[in-house]
Amino acid sequence: MSVPERTAAPATETIPLAQPVLGSEGEQAVIEVLRSGQLSLGPRVSAFEQAFAARLGVPHASAVSSGTAGLHLALRAVGVEDGDEVVTSPFSFVATANAVLFERARPVFADIDPVTLNLDPQAAAAAVTERTKALLPVHIFGHPADLPAFERMGLPLVEDACQALGAVHADGTPVGGRGHPSVFGFYANKQLTTGEGGLIALADPALKERIDSERNQGRAPDMGWLDHDRLGFNYRLSDIACAIGIEQLKRLDGMLADRARVAGWYREALDGIEDLTLPCPEQGGNVRGWFVFVVQLPHGVDRDLTVRALGERGIQSKPYLPAIHLMSFYRERFGYREGEFPVCEDVAARSIALPFFPAMREGQVARVAAELRTVLARP
Ligand SMILES: Cc1ncc(COP(=O)(O)O)c(C=O)c1O
């Protein structure tokens, strides 16, 4: 029996947090790479990079093994070194700040905008010192950060766009398309996945050259197999992964539209739940690249109990995201305490990610919403 679209999905079905979409075209592309015998450092890498760069309208892209690796190489490329400071958001995945630490530089946090949840440009400006080498705004949950405001600050910029493929700035530029090194991530829950993977989009050919060498143990393209003229890493992305990426890119618009549709269903289904904060509507002409559907629970609601109660009803959810500066490692290393970034801390304490993936059906969204309504209505 088919489930009518607006009817809640059966209560026996567990609704997962995320589910990747891989079409059969991807299988064929992977088989072709396997048969070609060139599994790495082959032609799929530059084909993927060129297709990705063309989509964003930037001259260059460098495929790397993860978003974290991309952040590391991008920060090195703009000159971040031992002892420098990088101003960034405490409301991000921990990799954003960790990548700064890889270079023995210091992540300096500034509070976020309460509406978009992105790094607040005014707070960031106040955190700049003579040691600040770069700014690292994050397009959190796929909502474009205020890049024009950061650009006016005149410092080198690296964009953490790991959650923001498909997002568009108010002036029509795709997120990642402004020319600063902009880092994307392709882990399995992302808008486009290669299983694991990442990519840096950028305009400057000299930075591209440095990044390409450093992802490959410090070898220039014209150098021999075991010749290396600088420190490098193994941050390469395989041809197998790039072949998947090429196929995913071809269907990206459809997958983004599916995500946006699911988000629209959530908005309707969750309407009217008192004091529940939904993801902000797109601000000032910016377009979100939908990645997750994160809601902020009303003040005073026990989040752990809510997540557990949803789980008992077959709905996966999780606290998302914790504030980076309050993680034990950051507290111990830098002495951070509660109260330093109040907007971030308030949002981080109340946020949960609900199931969200392109193939999600309206009935599943209805069931998540109904269960959340029931759980929140309990005394
Ligand atoms: C904002 C942000 N930055 C960086 C990363 C790191 O990407 P990866 O897991 O591919 O290393 C992620 C991954 O989820 C992320 O969401």
Side-chain angles (χ1 to χ4, degrees), residues 16-59:
L17 207 48
Q19 231 173 41
V21 188
L22 285 176
S24 51
E25 343 49 283
E27 290 166 24
Q28 195 49 43
V30 168
I31 289 168
E32 279 169 27
V33 177
L34 296 179
R35 291 197 177 133
S36 77
Q38 181 125 35
L39 307 191
S40 194
L41 292 170
R44 263 78 177 186
V45 180
S46 52
F48 180 44
E49 290 171 342
Q50 281 163 23
F52 204 100
R55 186 184 163 100
L56 295 183
V58 278

Side-chain angles (χ1 to χ4, degrees), residues 65-69 71 92-96 138-140 160-163 183-187 189-190 196-198 291 320-321:
S65 52
S66 69
T68 309
L71 287 169
S92 184
F93 184 58
V94 69
T96 310
V138 183
H139 304 279
I140 203 69
D160 184 337
C162 284
Q163 302 193 350
V183 181
F184 292 86
F186 305 139
Y187 177 68
N189 64 349
K190 295 295 194 302
E196 296 280 359
F291 167 54
Y320 192 81
L321 286 154

Side-chain angles (χ1 to χ4, degrees), residues 331-353:
R331 281 177 188 261
E332 283 158 27
R333 179 85 169 256
F334 299 105
Y336 286 118
R337 294 287 172 266
E338 276 89 357
E340 293 185 57
F341 308 107
V343 181
C344 166
E345 290 167 28
D346 177 55
V347 171
R350 295 188 294 121
S351 293
I352 61 172

Side-chain angles (χ1 to χ4, degrees), residues 244-310:
I244 297 173
I246 291 166
E247 296 307 318
Q248 288 262 296
L249 255 188
K250 290 180 192 161
R251 50 189 309 184
L252 180 62
D253 285 328
M255 294 193 293
L256 291 170
D258 288 346
R259 282 179 184 267
R261 197 182 55 236
V262 173
W265 290 335
Y266 262 125
R267 256 190 216 299
E268 279 179 32
L270 293 171
D271 189 38
I273 301 185
E274 207 178 339
D275 295 330
L276 183 78
T277 307
L278 302 187
C280 70
E282 293 163 337
Q283 300 292 304
N286 290 292
V287 177
R288 193 191 286 268
W290 280 98
F291 167 54
V292 278
F293 199 90
V294 172
V295 296
Q296 293 163 48
L297 299 176
H299 285 101
V301 168
D302 186 322
R303 180 171 59 177
D304 293 342
L305 273 184
T306 306
V307 168
R308 202 170 325 135
L310 286 173

